[in-house]
Amino acid sequence: MKLLNYALALLLLSSPLQAADLPRALAVPGGIAILPLAPADGPAPSAHFNDKPVMVREADGWWRAVIGLPLTTQPGMQRLRLGGGEGELSFEVSDKQYAEQHITLSNKRYVTPEKMDMEHIRRDQARSRAAFRLWREDSPEQTRFLLPVEGIMSGPFGKRRFFNGQPRKPHSGLDIAAPEGTPVKAPTGGRIVETGDYFFNGKTVFIDHGQGLVSMLCHLSRIDVEVGDVIERGQVVAAVGKTGRVTGAHLHWSVSLNDARVDPALFLAEESLALLAGN
């Protein structure tokens, strides 16, 4: 699918009655479901999906659950468990078939890692899991994000990937091609909760935006922040690079919502989607 068509498809498939500060609702694997819970004149309710707390945000006079749907979510009816013994809400997830992507790598260790690499990878995985599972009650500053880097989308979310012909996990983020050294900005405010040099992801930064919403920025050439830093929307946190498993300079941007990797494009305004498509 051409990049322009990808951006248009996101707009057409998303809910036309979307509150300005919420991400676009697209209830598919790797997407977002948004459900009204209660009028906003009372306290915010709580909810869980897959036994994990879910973001609850006020929009248009209602408290709304903003639910991240893992790529492994089965199409059909799903249930959101309400807090305080209030029962459950059912909602439907539609099927979505993602395209395939075949990548050739000259460094075979990025396809079949060696024993010492696996030790590094296991440490990386443990650190990533801990960052993605963080929960902070503070609500995100905004859930309509800035583009973290100026560039063209080179790899949409969700593609089923094959490295040197071998199947691997689907693409859990969005790739933005840009020259090495291009500033990378925080898509919205938050706290730096993890940084490091990862085997596959290269130099990486994790930003906790609040209520289970986390950004991961990968393949960086440098990192300009430290763990514990509180950062503002649009603040430069790093620079584009080509560290880790890459074929060229770009930013890999993952967004996690209630520990589910979802399409970052759903958090972007129409103007940002147009920029990604090269318009």
Side-chain angles (χ1 to χ4, degrees):
M1 181 183 288
K2 294 181 180 179
L3 297 184
L4 176 59
N5 291 341
Y6 173 82
L8 289 175
L10 279 171
L11 295 175
L12 292 173
L13 289 172
S14 301
S15 169
L17 302 175
Q18 189 66 59
D21 182 44
L22 293 181
R24 276 180 293 279
L26 185 60
V28 299
I32 297 171
I34 299 180
L35 303 180
L37 299 180
D41 55 3
S46 62
H48 286 72
F49 181 66
N50 288 343
D51 295 323
K52 294 175 181 176
V54 164
M55 178 189 296
V56 175
R57 197 163 175 85
E58 188 276 330
D60 296 334
W62 280 79
W63 292 115
R64 301 175 188 269
V66 184
I67 311 160
L69 304 172
L71 279 165
T72 54
T73 303
Q74 293 298 310
M77 297 304 296
Q78 299 289 334
R79 290 178 174 81
L80 179 73
R81 180 167 56 85
L82 304 178
E86 296 295 325
E88 297 180 335
L89 287 178
S90 296
F91 63 98
E92 187 169 3
V93 174
S94 301
D95 193 13
K96 180 175 175 62
Q97 296 298 316
Y98 291 95
E100 292 184 359
Q101 182 181 29
H102 291 260
I103 300 170
T104 300
L105 298 173
S106 57
N107 188 339
K108 303 299 190 295
R109 289 172 60 188
Y110 285 126
V111 181
T112 307
E114 298 175 358
K115 182 177 179 180
M116 64 177 181
D117 299 328
M118 290 306 302
E119 295 174 359
H120 189 176
I121 292 167
R122 281 191 287 270
R123 290 195 299 270
D124 293 347
Q125 290 172 337
R127 294 167 68 187
S128 296
R129 284 194 298 269
F132 284 135
R133 291 174 180 172
L134 285 172
W135 178 268
R136 186 163 51 90
E137 287 294 338
D138 295 345
S139 185
E141 173 189 350
Q142 293 187 38
T143 55
R144 279 299 177 93
F145 284 170
L146 297 174
L147 267 177
V149 69
E150 295 182 9
I152 302 299
M153 181 166 57
S154 56
F157 173 87
K159 280 194 171 183
R160 295 173 293 158
R161 296 185 301 173
F162 296 79
F163 290 99
N164 295 5
Q166 298 186 34
R168 293 294 184 266
K169 290 182 179 181
H171 191 221
S172 61
L174 189 154
D175 288 344
I176 305 173
E180 189 168 6
T182 303
V184 176
K185 301 176 181 179
T188 195
R191 185 183 300 274
I192 304 299
V193 292
E194 179 67 72
T195 67
D197 194 350
Y198 288 56
F199 183 78
F200 288 124
N201 293 341
K203 289 184 171 65
T204 298
V205 169
F206 287 85
I207 308 173
D208 173 17
H209 304 295
Q211 287 204 10
L213 183 60
V214 178
S215 283
M216 179 178 73
L217 308 166
C218 303
H219 307 309
L220 308 168
S221 60
R222 71 168 195 269
I223 296 173
D224 298 334
V225 289
E226 297 181 353
V227 172
D229 287 352
V230 176
I231 57 169
E232 298 179 351
R233 179 181 174 91
Q235 180 177 333
V236 174
V237 297
V240 171
K242 49 185 178 182
T243 56
R245 184 171 64 186
V246 297
T247 56
H250 73 281
L251 175 72
H252 170 99
W253 175 32
S254 284
V255 173
S256 186
L257 182 60
N258 51 265
D259 197 22
R261 259 53 84 205
V262 298
D263 191 347
L266 294 172
F267 292 82
L268 295 173
E270 296 179 23
E271 307 81 55
S272 295
L273 288 172
L275 289 173
L276 278 179
N279 295 329

